[in-house]
Each structure stands twice: as C-alpha cells, then as structure tokens.
Amino acid sequence: MTDSSQEPAPTILAGGPVTDGRDPAEAVVAMVDHVLALAATWTGWDGKPAHVDDRIYTPHKAVRRVADHLVDHLAELEARLVGEQPLPDHWHASTGTTEADMAPFTQDDLDEARSRLSRLARIWANRLGALTPEQLDHSPGDGWTFRQLAFHLTESTHYADAVGDLS
C-alpha cells in the first residue's frame, strides 16, 4: 500500500466542461441516442455536405467523429485509471473530410452506426457506473475529472446536429 500523500496531486484543467445533476453515464447514453435518432433520417442524404462554421459535415463524418471522440476519451480514462499517461491524440478531428465521408449513407451504414455507437455508449455507461463519486470528481492523472470527460462527450451532438434532421 502506498502513501497517497506522496503522490503528486492531479492537474485539473481549468475551464473544463460544465457538469450538471444528470448521471454522467446517462448523459453519454442520451448523447448517443440523440445522434442515432438524427442518423435514422440520413439514409436519404442527397450527397451535399453541410457547411458549418469553417467545417464540412456529412453523415459518415458525423458518425466517425462521435465514435472517435468516444474511443479517444475512453482510452484516456482507462490509461489514467491504471496510472499510465494517455497516448497522444493524433486524430485529424473534424478539420479533415475523407472520400469515405462523402459516400452515400445507406441502411447498412445506419445499422452499423447503431451497433458501433450503442456498444460504445454501453461501455461508457458501464465504466462510469463502476466508478465511485470520488473517482468521478477527483480522478487520477492530469486532465478533466471523469465526470467532466463524460459531459464533454455530450458535446459530440454537434457533429450530428451539423448534418441535422434530413427527414
């Protein structure tokens, strides 16, 4: 057993995501539900990307960005829990649009998005649900608390909202 008074205090990033009274696991699941509800309207996409701010969004890009965001921060959470430094982020984020992002969004794509994002939401819900309130609010390592990470993930609705409801 180690003396926790000898361990350096974690660095919490100032100005992090605002949290509220919602359960963080439920907040992540609700974000994915919102994204998938919009995605259900994308099978008739006309192939014209949405231009929001200085970025381009398509159905495939929105799904990719939400999944990447969930994976990226899950890897961070898991690394911090075991005392490792998270791997550096090398995503191209939403600045890049690939040829694959421009492909038609079919029913098969929607089915895969539902499977992929629903599974990631469950992994997040299970992981967050297994943490104590102390771990959620005083998380190990540098960065936002795990509660803040969860609420940061809810901002991923931006990608789907950029494409919008195409029904």
Side-chain angles (χ1 to χ4, degrees), residues 59-111:
H60 282 289
K61 183 174 180 177
V63 169
R64 175 175 59 84
R65 291 303 311 132
V66 171
D68 290 351
H69 207 199
L70 289 164
V71 167
D72 181 41
H73 287 298
L74 182 62
E76 175 190 353
L77 182 151
E78 293 296 337
R80 288 173 56 194
L81 276 173
V82 298
E84 293 180 357
Q85 281 294 109
L87 292 174
D89 177 354
H90 296 292
W91 299 115
H92 293 287
S94 59
T95 59
T97 303
T98 68
E99 284 187 46
D101 291 335
M102 299 302 295
F105 192 80
T106 67
Q107 184 63 47
D108 287 343
D109 295 317
L110 175 59
D111 292 343

Side-chain angles (χ1 to χ4, degrees), residues 100-158:
D101 291 335
M102 299 302 295
F105 192 80
T106 67
Q107 184 63 47
D108 287 343
D109 295 317
L110 175 59
D111 292 343
E112 288 188 4
R114 284 180 176 142
S115 292
R116 181 176 298 110
L117 296 180
S118 295
R119 283 182 172 90
L120 283 167
R122 287 308 322 144
I123 292 168
W124 266 99
N126 292 337
R127 167 44 82 196
L128 291 169
L131 298 176
T132 66
E134 176 73 13
Q135 288 172 307
L136 286 170
D137 295 321
H138 302 283
S139 309
D142 293 341
W144 294 325
T145 68
F146 295 154
R147 184 181 306 276
Q148 287 175 306
L149 275 182
F151 279 85
H152 170 65
L153 288 172
T154 66
E155 298 168 3
S156 294
T157 58
H158 169 76

